[in-house]
Amino acid sequence: MNIAVFHGSTRDNGNTEYLTYQAVPKEKGTHIYLKEHDIKPIVDERHAPDGFKEVVDDHTKLIDKMLEHDVYVFSTPIYWYSMSGVMKTFIDRWSQVMKDPNYAHFRGALKDKKVYVIAVGGDKPHIKGLPLIQQFEYICQFFGMSFEGYVIGKASRPGDIKQNEKALTEAGLLLKGL
Amino acid sequence: MNIAVFHGSTRDNGNTEYLTYQAVPKEKGTHIYLKEHDIKPIVDERHAPDGFKEVVDDHTKLIDKMLEHDVYVFSTPIYWYSMSGVMKTFIDRWSQVMKDPNYAHFRGALKDKKVYVIAVGGDKPHIKGLPLIQQFEYICQFFGMSFEGYVIGKASRPGDIKQNEKALTEAGLLLKGL
Amino acid sequence: MNIAVFHGSTRDNGNTEYLTYQAVPKEKGTHIYLKEHDIKPIVDERHAPDGFKEVVDDHTKLIDKMLEHDVYVFSTPIYWYSMSGVMKTFIDRWSQVMKDPNYAHFRGALKDKKVYVIAVGGDKPHIKGLPLIQQFEYICQFFGMSFEGYVIGKASRPGDIKQNEKALTEAGLLLKGL
Amino acid sequence: MNIAVFHGSTRDNGNTEYLTYQAVPKEKGTHIYLKEHDIKPIVDERHAPDGFKEVVDDHTKLIDKMLEHDVYVFSTPIYWYSMSGVMKTFIDRWSQVMKDPNYAHFRGALKDKKVYVIAVGGDKPHIKGLPLIQQFEYICQFFGMSFEGYVIGKASRPGDIKQNEKALTEAGLLLKGL
């Protein structure tokens, strides 16, 4: 199965990225680093008379890439107990995609895709990261995607994650048998 | 007590805004509409050798305004089961403020502030909005702010909230006795 | 619509009971006080060769009563952040009912029933009571019941709830329009 | 460190028990099978003029045993999205212990104890078991115990858990380094 990994980190070679490579090695799957792309925040015009205004940025290109894959890994540092702003901005814009006549198939196309989440935080992430996991479950439910699993890692300072045997092991098992 | 309301909606006169005015009328408190301000996404440079690069936008101005108040109302539509991207971006940047030598007092200054949340969504918000509430609780805990209460409203189409007697009543009571 | 209220409190005239009467007055609906009934804990024999052994207590009688109604209010003090043990014991036994040939219709019969929850606790119940709410949502989902709403009240000492205007108001509105 | 394992299952040799032995082998630690003990449901008499009436059952003996240990593993099948009734009944009675003059030290004695949770369920336990995890966190917070980690396993039919490599591996790592 072809896998797209969406990296929501805003720095290079961080703990989240490292943990994610244990699940999906760099040379496997398509790795998309959201921070390298121009993604504008949504302006909610669902109910505007003329609908959404066209936005010129990289979002459509990313959606096209997304639709080419069957398995999605959302990899995000935990910022203030939820996904990073750049990942949130990427997902918020899905509301606009759903109203785009060129993407009338978007919602249906996501059905049955498999979703995994990898999240890394420093402040009791195995407890305080759970609302984030629940939110991904709701997103999956909305589209009929299957939320297959998640790994939460604890790390704050660069390199911390390398000492976290449990998280590394869990990440290594996350997509096993896929 | 002086109240600052942070509006996270991305459209004018929406349901979330309407519900919020039941709690804090337009002419009372300081209403800040995040969508009218330029707020850049955070780039996590907490561990970079030179720390965070200066960012030129409206964020510092908003933080100054925030610090002048004692009660915060975070008012957000529920986008994909969490706060709007613009509100998330505003909050993500607090991590940078905390590293700014000019704002060494930031974390301490928030201690004991009172926080309220108003959230409006269309998809079972009284259940699916709860992770968002939990996340605000964690944010409050981090700073020692007191999470005083929240109202969740159900609405999708413009004006829906006006029919939601329960939510309107709850919003009217939210800050009562403050 | 005929309403059955299941009281999970273990003392008389407590805060939870008082709050519940704001939603369903004593003279309206069928009030069932679980503590007055003999309900044995479940012994999980779902996979035993002969299935569940018959249990002689009041559980079946309560299930019969339950099935005569269309709207269920579960009213529970928050004990250790979840429903009271007596209510849990009552619900745990539903697993046995579902295996009882005389109640083959049980699961289907609950479909589309309307469910409300009233919960009262002393330790930040509006946050720490949320997992309990989520669990009732999952129970409803399992049976296809509709979780229509909930009220959380804060109270510790006898009579506290009478000072809690917000909770009383919310309880008064809870079943309105039913 | 001496470990007490509280088994909340109501059948022998179940999936939860099997998974738990991967974390704490049968010959290691003190294994307490709650179903083998007589534990009466709490009657809330915290505010009764004469306080709690004495209850004759095995609860006090279990509390004494508990206090002899420093690490607690709570192992429970997921019944209706929360801990089993027998485990809930055991924990509910802690409220009575705290009012018992002979156990005035109870709350303080639990401070800094280490807690682990093992939970096994059949219906999306990695999502629907999370409120249960959150509730244990709140219980730990109340006493100042440290919630060190948890494992959630998926299993329904007897023996299922043996096929769940991820859960078995996680359980094997759970108390590592203690």
Side-chain angles (χ1 to χ4, degrees):
Chain A
M1 281 205 157
N2 51 359
I3 301 168
V5 182
F6 295 91
H7 292 269
S9 184
T10 65
R11 57 176 157 120
D12 289 321
N13 303 314
N15 287 304
T16 313
E17 207 176 308
Y18 186 89
L19 185 61
T20 301
Y21 295 146
Q22 311 306 307
V24 187
K26 216 165 176 168
E27 63 281 4
K28 216 188 128 186
T30 304
H31 289 265
I32 295 163
Y33 302 87
L34 293 173
K35 73 175 180 321
E36 298 175 355
H37 297 274
D38 177 31
I39 309 174
K40 301 264 191 301
I42 196 165
V43 177
D44 180 6
E45 297 169 317
R46 282 175 296 167
H47 308 288
D50 306 318
F52 283 97
K53 281 182 209 54
E54 203 194 330
V55 175
V56 181
D57 65 0
D58 298 337
H59 196 263
T60 302
K61 194 183 63 187
L62 293 173
I63 293 297
D64 289 342
K65 186 74 81 181
M66 188 176 172
L67 292 173
E68 292 167 12
H69 294 79
D70 298 318
V71 178
Y72 303 141
V73 177
F74 294 95
S75 161
T76 181
I78 303 179
Y79 286 175
W80 298 107
Y81 314 106
S82 64
M83 69 179 81
S84 68
V86 63
M87 183 166 277
K88 186 64 186 4
T89 299
F90 171 63
I91 291 177
D92 274 6
R93 286 281 302 287
W94 294 2
S95 301
Q96 180 164 358
V97 176
M98 288 195 295
K99 293 286 188 180
D100 184 336
N102 296 327
Y103 287 84
H105 60 298
F106 179 68
R107 187 168 176 173
L110 292 197
K111 196 168 174 313
D112 297 328
K113 302 283 187 183
K114 291 179 192 302
V115 170
Y116 297 87
V117 170
I118 295 171
V120 175
D123 181 14
K124 294 193 86 170
H126 290 86
I127 294 296
K128 297 187 179 176
L130 297 183
L132 161 63
I133 297 301
Q134 182 69 59
Q135 288 162 334
F136 271 106
E137 165 68 13
Y138 289 141
I139 292 171
C140 288
Q141 281 178 17
F142 181 88
F143 289 101
M145 298 191 288
S146 172
F147 191 7
E148 296 283 311
Y150 56 86
V151 172
I152 297 174
K154 182 167 164 49
S156 298
R157 304 179 59 83
D160 272 2
I161 199 71
K162 297 180 191 177
Q163 317 306 324
N164 189 332
E165 184 194 348
K166 287 183 203 181
L168 298 177
T169 303
E170 285 181 48
L173 290 167
L174 186 62
L175 282 84
K176 221 186 145 176
L178 190 71
Chain B
M1 283 208 155
N2 52 358
I3 301 168
V5 183
F6 295 91
H7 292 269
S9 183
T10 64
R11 58 178 157 120
D12 289 323
N13 303 314
N15 288 304
T16 313
E17 207 176 309
Y18 185 90
L19 184 61
T20 301
Y21 295 146
Q22 311 305 307
V24 187
K26 214 166 177 167
E27 64 282 4
K28 216 189 129 189
T30 304
H31 289 264
I32 295 162
Y33 302 87
L34 292 173
K35 73 174 180 321
E36 298 175 356
H37 297 274
D38 177 31
I39 309 174
K40 300 265 190 300
I42 197 166
V43 177
D44 180 6
E45 296 169 317
R46 282 175 298 166
H47 306 289
D50 305 318
F52 282 97
K53 282 182 209 55
E54 204 194 329
V55 175
V56 182
D57 66 0
D58 298 338
H59 196 263
T60 302
K61 194 183 63 188
L62 292 173
I63 293 298
D64 290 341
K65 185 75 80 182
M66 188 176 172
L67 291 173
E68 292 167 12
H69 294 79
D70 298 318
V71 178
Y72 304 141
V73 178
F74 295 95
S75 161
T76 181
I78 303 179
Y79 286 175
W80 297 107
Y81 314 106
S82 64
M83 68 180 80
S84 68
V86 64
M87 183 166 278
K88 186 65 187 2
T89 298
F90 171 63
I91 290 178
D92 274 6
R93 286 282 301 287
W94 293 3
S95 301
Q96 180 164 358
V97 176
M98 286 195 295
K99 294 284 187 181
D100 184 336
N102 296 326
Y103 287 84
H105 60 298
F106 179 67
R107 185 167 175 173
L110 292 197
K111 196 167 174 314
D112 297 329
K113 302 283 186 183
K114 291 180 193 300
V115 170
Y116 297 86
V117 170
I118 295 170
V120 176
D123 181 15
K124 294 192 86 170
H126 291 86
I127 293 295
K128 297 187 179 177
L130 297 183
L132 161 64
I133 298 300
Q134 183 68 59
Q135 288 163 333
F136 270 107
E137 165 68 13
Y138 289 142
I139 292 171
C140 288
Q141 281 179 17
F142 181 89
F143 289 102
M145 298 191 287
S146 173
F147 191 7
E148 296 283 311
Y150 56 87
V151 172
I152 297 172
K154 182 167 165 49
S156 298
R157 304 177 61 83
D160 272 1
I161 199 71
K162 297 180 191 177
Q163 317 305 325
N164 189 332
E165 184 194 348
K166 288 183 202 182
L168 298 176
T169 303
E170 285 181 46
L173 290 168
L174 186 63
L175 283 85
K176 217 183 150 180
L178 190 71
Chain C
M1 283 208 155
N2 53 357
I3 301 168
V5 182
F6 295 90
H7 291 269
S9 185
T10 65
R11 58 178 158 119
D12 289 323
N13 302 314
N15 288 304
T16 313
E17 207 177 307
Y18 186 90
L19 185 61
T20 301
Y21 295 145
Q22 312 306 307
V24 186
K26 215 165 176 168
E27 64 281 4
K28 216 188 129 187
T30 304
H31 289 263
I32 296 162
Y33 302 87
L34 294 174
K35 73 173 179 323
E36 298 174 355
H37 297 274
D38 177 31
I39 310 174
K40 301 264 191 300
I42 196 164
V43 178
D44 180 6
E45 297 169 315
R46 280 175 299 165
H47 308 289
D50 305 318
F52 283 97
K53 282 182 209 53
E54 204 192 330
V55 175
V56 182
D57 65 359
D58 298 338
H59 196 262
T60 301
K61 193 184 64 187
L62 293 173
I63 293 297
D64 289 341
K65 184 76 80 182
M66 189 176 170
L67 292 173
E68 292 167 12
H69 295 80
D70 299 318
V71 178
Y72 304 141
V73 177
F74 294 95
S75 161
T76 182
I78 303 179
Y79 286 175
W80 297 107
Y81 315 106
S82 62
M83 68 179 80
S84 68
V86 64
M87 184 165 277
K88 187 65 187 2
T89 299
F90 171 63
I91 291 178
D92 275 6
R93 286 280 302 287
W94 294 2
S95 301
Q96 181 165 357
V97 176
M98 287 194 295
K99 294 284 186 180
D100 184 336
N102 297 327
Y103 287 84
H105 60 298
F106 179 67
R107 185 168 176 172
L110 292 198
K111 196 169 174 312
D112 297 330
K113 302 283 186 183
K114 290 180 193 301
V115 170
Y116 297 86
V117 171
I118 295 172
V120 175
D123 181 14
K124 293 192 88 171
H126 290 87
I127 293 295
K128 297 187 180 177
L130 297 183
L132 161 63
I133 298 300
Q134 182 69 57
Q135 288 163 334
F136 270 106
E137 165 68 14
Y138 290 142
I139 292 171
C140 289
Q141 281 177 18
F142 181 88
F143 289 102
M145 298 191 287
S146 172
F147 191 6
E148 296 283 311
Y150 56 88
V151 172
I152 297 173
K154 182 167 164 46
S156 298
R157 304 178 60 83
D160 271 3
I161 199 70
K162 297 180 191 178
Q163 318 305 325
N164 188 332
E165 185 194 350
K166 286 183 203 181
L168 298 176
T169 304
E170 284 180 48
L173 290 168
L174 186 62
L175 282 86
K176 218 184 147 177
L178 191 69
Chain D
M1 285 208 152
N2 52 358
I3 301 168
V5 182
F6 296 91
H7 292 269
S9 185
T10 64
R11 58 176 157 121
D12 290 322
N13 302 315
N15 288 304
T16 313
E17 208 177 308
Y18 186 89
L19 185 61
T20 301
Y21 295 146
Q22 312 306 307
V24 186
K26 215 165 176 169
E27 64 282 4
K28 218 189 127 186
T30 304
H31 289 265
I32 295 162
Y33 302 87
L34 294 173
K35 73 177 179 322
E36 298 174 356
H37 298 273
D38 177 31
I39 310 173
K40 301 261 189 304
I42 196 165
V43 178
D44 180 7
E45 297 169 316
R46 280 175 299 166
H47 308 288
D50 305 318
F52 282 97
K53 282 182 209 54
E54 204 193 330
V55 175
V56 181
D57 65 1
D58 299 336
H59 197 262
T60 301
K61 193 184 65 188
L62 292 173
I63 293 298
D64 289 341
K65 185 75 83 184
M66 188 176 171
L67 291 173
E68 293 167 11
H69 294 79
D70 298 318
V71 178
Y72 304 141
V73 178
F74 294 95
S75 162
T76 182
I78 304 179
Y79 286 176
W80 298 107
Y81 315 106
S82 65
M83 69 179 81
S84 68
V86 64
M87 183 165 277
K88 187 65 188 358
T89 299
F90 171 63
I91 291 179
D92 275 6
R93 286 281 301 287
W94 294 2
S95 301
Q96 181 164 356
V97 177
M98 286 196 295
K99 294 285 186 180
D100 184 336
N102 297 327
Y103 287 84
H105 60 298
F106 179 68
R107 185 168 176 173
L110 291 197
K111 197 169 171 314
D112 297 329
K113 302 282 187 185
K114 290 180 192 301
V115 170
Y116 297 86
V117 171
I118 296 172
V120 176
D123 182 14
K124 292 194 89 170
H126 290 87
I127 293 296
K128 297 187 180 178
L130 297 183
L132 161 63
I133 297 301
Q134 182 69 58
Q135 288 163 335
F136 271 106
E137 164 69 13
Y138 290 142
I139 292 171
C140 289
Q141 281 177 18
F142 181 88
F143 289 102
M145 297 191 287
S146 172
F147 191 6
E148 296 283 311
Y150 56 87
V151 172
I152 297 172
K154 182 167 165 49
S156 299
R157 304 177 61 82
D160 272 2
I161 199 71
K162 298 180 190 177
Q163 317 306 324
N164 189 333
E165 184 194 350
K166 288 183 201 181
L168 297 176
T169 303
E170 285 181 47
L173 290 168
L174 186 62
L175 282 85
K176 221 186 146 176
L178 191 69

